[in-house]
Amino acid sequence: GIVQSQHGGAAANLASLGTGSQIGSCWGVSVQRSTGKIYTSAALKRHAGIGPLSYGGLYQLDMLGNSAMPWIDLNSIGVPSGGFPDNAQRMLPVAIPPISTDSLAYSQIGKISYGGMDISDDDKTLYIVSLYTRKLYSVFIDVPGEVPGPEDVDSFDIPDPGCTHGTYRPWAVKVHRGVVYLGVVCDASHSGGSSSDLSAYVY
C-alpha cells in the first residue's frame, strides 16, 4: 500500500524495501546504521500472512539497494518460535475481498513467534524476545552482518514479576547506552482474572 500523509495525500520520497510476499507479517525492527541494513522478524498477526521463512523468519532489508531478502530461520540456530499452521491452513485470502476469519490465530497472538527486537550500540548483536519461550536472546551478527550460527546465540531468562490470575508476557526490547530494557505485562487471562490483575513492568 501507499503511506498517506496527515493531509490525505501520498507521502513524498517513499521507497519500497519489501513486500508482504517477501517478508510477510513482521514486528521487530533493528537498524544496523553502519551498513544501512534493517533486520525485521516474523510476528503472528490475525488476517496477515506469514513470510517465506515461516514463524521463525528473520529478514534483511537494504536501505541502499531498496531490497529485501530472507536471512535465516531463527529456529535453526536455537531461537524457538513455536509452530503454527501456514497461510493456506489459516485460509487466508490472497486478496481482500473476500474477508478472512483467521480464527486459528485469535488465541495465539503474543504466544508464538517474536516480539520486540533491537541492536546493540556497536551494531554487532541483535536482541530479540521469543514469545514462545518467553526468553531474551542475543544473536551476534557482526559488522557487516553475517548469517549467524548456533554458536552466536545466548539466552536469558525473563523473571515472572508475580502475575496474579494470569501469565507474564514479555514483548518490548530496547537497547540504550549498553543496557537492554524489556517490557513485560501480566495478562490476567486465567479464571478469575480481572482488570485489577493487569499490570506492566520494565526490566
Side-chain angles (χ1 to χ4, degrees):
I2 298 175
V3 176
Q4 301 292 315
S5 73
Q6 292 180 341
H7 303 290
N13 301 320
L14 292 180
S16 173
L17 299 181
T19 65
S21 62
Q22 290 175 315
I23 65 173
S25 174
C26 293
W27 179 269
V29 177
S30 299
V31 180
Q32 193 175 50
R33 291 172 177 82
S34 56
T35 63
K37 298 293 193 298
I38 300 173
Y39 297 91
T40 185
S41 54
L44 175 63
K45 300 178 187 177
R46 197 172 176 210
H47 309 296
I50 204 68
L53 292 178
S54 193
Y55 298 96
L58 181 65
Y59 301 89
Q60 186 188 76
L61 291 75
D62 186 352
M63 289 190 288
L64 302 179
N66 294 344
S67 62
M69 60 179 257
W71 211 50
I72 190 171
D73 179 351
L74 291 169
N75 288 288
S76 69
I77 60 171
V79 185
S81 66
F84 197 69
D86 62 21
N87 295 339
Q89 292 169 318
R90 290 166 61 187
M91 296 185 290
L92 295 175
V94 295
I96 294 179
I99 302 300
S100 71
T101 56
D102 200 14
S103 59
L104 295 176
Y106 191 80
S107 65
Q108 295 302 310
I109 302 297
K111 298 178 183 178
I112 67 164
S113 206
Y114 308 110
M117 181 172 67
D118 204 2
I119 198 165
S120 59
D121 296 329
D122 64 4
D123 275 349
K124 294 183 178 182
T125 302
L126 291 175
Y127 291 93
I128 187 168
V129 165
S130 167
L131 306 178
Y132 179 65
T133 64
R134 289 181 289 177
K135 290 184 177 183
L136 173 70
Y137 292 82
S138 65
V139 183
F140 182 74
I141 61 169
D142 212 348
V143 177
E146 297 181 358
V147 176
E151 68 280 3
D152 297 312
V153 175
D154 202 355
S155 66
F156 308 89
D157 292 331
I158 300 173
D160 182 342
C163 297
T164 302
H165 297 127
T167 301
Y168 72 105
R169 301 285 178 194
W171 186 286
V173 179
K174 178 63 180 177
V175 179
H176 182 65
R177 295 184 178 179
V179 178
V180 182
Y181 296 88
L182 294 167
V184 179
V185 300
C186 290
D187 66 7
S189 62
H190 297 175
S191 177
S194 68
S195 60
S196 64
D197 299 313
L198 295 170
S199 53
Y201 301 85
V202 176
Y203 287 116

